[in-house]
Amino acid sequence: MLYAMEDKLKFPSDGITQVDVGLRPSMPFFSSERAPVITYLHLHECDKFSIGIFCLPPTSVIPLHNHPGMTVFSKLLFGTMHIKSYDWSDEVDKNADGTMANGIDPKSYPDGLRLAKLKVNSEFTAPCGPSILYPADGGNMHCFTARTACAVLDVLGPPYCDPEGRHCQYYYDYPFGSFSVENVSVLAEGEEGYAWLKEREKPEDLSVVGVPYSGPKIARK
């Protein structure tokens, strides 16, 4: 059961299943013939948070994007999904004195690029535990690739809001070695743990269709 409250959300994260929200892989949302179209089921939204479910057919992709100033709970309800996520290096790699632990001064970044530290680059198969990302940690920028039909419960707090500075920004990611940085040849933790991110417009081939949620009701308290 999900409980939507006026100013916060309460739910037994590990206990939520596809049955609780009335979904099954055989539904039209998840047909391979529908790919790459992604369906978003809108469950609830208020000023404090939003709840929705992404329904991804096999091979569909939610491109690399951010969640500025937001905390996000994600739960894979069924299927197998590859998740790749990053945090900004200049936010998570700082020493106590403010210097960069990786030895790279942000002022030396190539034009238009920002260094990101790899957080996750793995496949997950339901049932599995939920993931939580934070404004500056936990993989704030992530990309989802459906290996099979997948359903992902997503809770955002607070939700995206352009006027309040929470704009969904998309990115390209490039291997660290693709660009040279003055006085740096090898990172202490290995180049494979970092990438250069570059802002991009929303991909033209990204198609997300909103559909009203018709599953079990959300209990409000």
Side-chain angles (χ1 to χ4, degrees):
M1 175 80 65
L2 293 176
Y3 298 96
M5 307 176 76
E6 184 175 348
D7 61 349
K8 61 182 179 178
L9 181 72
K10 179 181 179 182
F11 49 88
S13 59
D14 289 332
I16 299 173
T17 69
Q18 64 191 68
V19 175
D20 294 322
V21 291
L23 292 177
R24 56 188 184 279
S26 60
M27 297 175 78
F29 301 143
F30 307 102
S31 170
S32 57
E33 297 179 357
R34 187 174 175 81
V37 177
I38 297 167
T39 302
Y40 179 77
L41 304 179
H42 178 81
L43 277 72
H44 177 83
E45 183 167 351
C46 62
D47 291 341
K48 300 295 184 180
F49 62 86
S50 64
I51 310 173
I53 300 173
F54 287 99
C55 303
L56 293 84
T59 74
S60 57
V61 177
I62 298 179
L64 186 64
H65 63 285
N66 70 347
H67 307 83
M70 301 157 66
T71 298
V72 180
F73 164 95
S74 296
K75 170 76 172 180
L76 183 62
L77 300 178
F78 63 76
T80 296
M81 172 178 287
H82 181 270
I83 299 176
K84 191 173 189 179
S85 67
Y86 298 94
D87 292 306
W88 294 123
S89 173
D90 54 25
E91 294 181 352
V92 298
D93 275 341
K94 285 186 177 180
N95 293 316
D97 62 1
T99 60
M100 297 305 302
N102 58 29
I104 302 180
D105 186 342
K107 295 179 182 178
S108 68
Y109 291 174
D111 289 345
L113 300 175
R114 188 175 177 185
L115 188 63
K117 188 173 185 178
L118 184 66
K119 180 69 176 181
V120 174
N121 188 19
S122 303
E123 284 192 357
F124 296 85
T125 299
C128 57
S131 65
I132 302 178
L133 63 84
Y134 302 96
D137 195 10
N140 188 273
M141 289 82 68
H142 64 200
C143 172
F144 291 164
T145 302
R147 302 302 192 201
T148 68
C150 296
V152 182
L153 174 68
D154 228 27
V155 181
L156 285 68
Y160 286 111
C161 180
D162 285 2
E164 296 181 10
R166 296 189 300 277
H167 168 70
C168 183
Q169 178 63 58
Y170 294 90
Y171 299 91
Y172 295 109
D173 59 337
Y174 303 98
F176 178 80
S178 300
F179 300 90
S180 60
V181 180
E182 185 178 357
N183 299 324
V184 176
S185 58
V186 179
L187 290 165
E189 298 182 33
E191 293 185 6
E192 66 278 1
Y194 291 85
W196 296 106
L197 269 55
K198 181 179 181 180
E199 293 185 0
R200 62 179 297 189
E201 295 296 324
K202 179 180 177 181
E204 293 183 359
D205 58 353
L206 174 60
S207 179
V208 180
V209 178
V211 173
Y213 172 72
S214 59
K217 290 185 177 181
I218 297 174
R220 290 176 171 79
K221 291 188 175 183

